[in-house]
Amino acid sequence: MAKLSLVGLGPGSLDLMSVKAQQVVKSADVVVGYGPYVKMVSTLIDQQALVRTGMTKEWQRADSAIQHVQEGKNVALVCSGDAGMYAMAPLIFELLSTQSIQIEVETIPGITAANACASLVGAPLGHDSCTISLSDLLTPWQVITKRIEAAAMADFAVTFYNPRSKKRQNHILEAQQILLKYRDPETPVAVVNAAYREEQSVQLSTLESFTNLDFGMNAAVIVGNNSSYRFDNWIVTPRGYKNKYTLDDGETREGQIPGRSLIKNHKVNEVE
């Protein structure tokens, strides 16, 4: 039976792409994707038919992939990062449900941009975090700002996707101002462009100053929470171990019990 495989390519280098993802692309009858993403897997392409489209042609890619499966072909629809994260999987499932189409679908997970970028700067997403796209092509800006405000109030570390484009210069500035209402201006920030690709660049800054850096749509901006700090060229967002244990010797703090809920007391508050 023909199958549609939604393949997450990860950040772009073959060594960070799962073995299964590579196998699915190699064995597909048809490979469908945004041109630059198909290029990422060019070394895996042999006899497969190719369907490549440009920016803003997501519906056409999805429709083509579905049609090829209905014709009895195994299709690999390739996406950077993970297919379910700001990529093609949601649209595919929307089309299938809306049009009542029954085909076999599998999703091959990939390393997301947030994870790839975070790995280059230490552990900035070590505790609760969220991702927010600043592109308002499909989501009203008023909705996006509400999400930024909520993330800021809840003290999430935040990864901003699509932070800036030639036409959209002010969204990242507004996001910065929202976060500054709740976080110290010296909160560490990483701006990572094209993680694990030839054009990769990593810039470390602060919440107050990062918008002065040069970056665009291919970058991800990771903003720490109120516990995050710089350590050499790393950003660390603590998981909270020091609330329960002394980090010098690993001993359990007075009043705390390993494996049990954190007990709030005066001594714990002093180290938070």
Side-chain angles (χ1 to χ4, degrees):
M1 182 177 179
K3 179 190 298 184
L4 173 56
S5 298
L6 308 175
V7 183
L9 302 180
S13 57
L14 286 180
D15 59 338
L16 289 178
M17 189 186 307
S18 72
V19 172
K20 184 171 183 179
Q22 296 184 47
Q23 291 173 340
V24 167
V25 172
K26 287 180 180 179
S27 63
D29 300 312
V30 183
V31 176
V32 180
Y34 175 48
Y37 301 159
V38 174
K39 186 177 180 180
M40 289 180 186
V41 293
S42 60
T43 59
L44 306 178
I45 303 296
D46 185 16
Q47 300 298 320
Q48 305 95 314
L50 300 179
V51 178
R52 290 171 287 195
T53 61
M55 188 74 73
T56 74
K57 300 297 182 181
E58 292 87 358
W59 188 93
Q60 288 81 354
R61 288 199 290 278
D63 183 64
S64 177
I66 293 170
Q67 286 190 31
H68 277 96
V69 175
Q70 291 176 315
E71 293 169 2
K73 299 173 183 176
N74 288 313
V75 177
L77 177 56
V78 297
C79 309
S80 70
D82 183 86
M85 289 283 292
Y86 305 114
M88 294 296 296
L91 178 57
I92 286 290
F93 287 111
E94 285 185 88
L95 292 182
L96 295 179
S97 61
T98 300
Q99 300 176 23
S100 299
I101 296 173
Q102 296 292 327
I103 60 173
E104 185 176 356
V105 182
E106 68 172 346
T107 301
I108 314 300
I111 298 173
T112 69
N115 294 138
C117 294
S119 73
L120 295 171
V121 293
L125 305 180
H127 209 321
D128 296 333
S129 66
C130 67
T131 59
I132 299 175
S133 171
L134 296 189
S135 172
D136 59 359
L137 295 179
L138 300 174
T139 305
W141 179 239
Q142 294 83 355
V143 173
I144 297 172
T145 56
K146 287 182 180 178
R147 292 172 178 171
I148 299 170
E149 186 92 28
M153 291 178 63
D155 199 29
F156 284 112
V158 182
T159 302
F160 289 117
Y161 283 52
N162 307 309
R164 180 188 279 162
S165 68
K166 291 181 180 179
K167 295 181 179 179
R168 181 171 41 78
Q169 295 286 314
N170 292 327
H171 285 8
I172 190 65
L173 297 176
E174 189 169 343
Q176 176 192 39
Q177 292 307 309
I178 293 172
L179 289 173
L180 280 170
K181 292 192 299 181
Y182 302 91
R183 298 186 192 176
D184 191 289
E186 294 301 309
T187 300
V189 173
V191 178
V192 182
N193 182 74
Y196 295 98
R197 303 179 195 176
E198 290 183 1
E199 62 271 31
Q200 172 184 298
S201 69
V202 178
Q203 304 176 87
L204 298 182
S205 186
T206 64
L207 182 56
E208 183 178 43
S209 303
F210 81 93
T211 52
N212 296 324
L213 301 176
D214 182 25
F215 59 89
M217 286 286 287
N218 288 332
V221 175
I222 302 177
V223 182
N225 68 13
N226 280 311
S227 298
S228 303
Y229 62 91
R230 280 281 299 273
F231 169 62
D232 292 335
N233 288 323
W234 307 111
I235 296 176
V236 181
T237 299
R239 177 77 187 279
Y241 287 101
K242 70 177 182 179
N243 292 332
K244 182 165 286 191
Y245 308 99
T246 56
L247 299 187
D248 290 336
D249 55 17
E251 291 296 317
T252 304
R253 292 188 178 277
E254 182 181 352
Q256 300 298 326
I257 303 173
R260 300 289 183 87
S261 298
L262 184 69
I263 300 171
K264 295 286 288 184
N265 59 36
H266 180 67
K267 291 187 176 181
V268 171
N269 290 334
E270 288 179 349
V271 298
E272 288 183 333

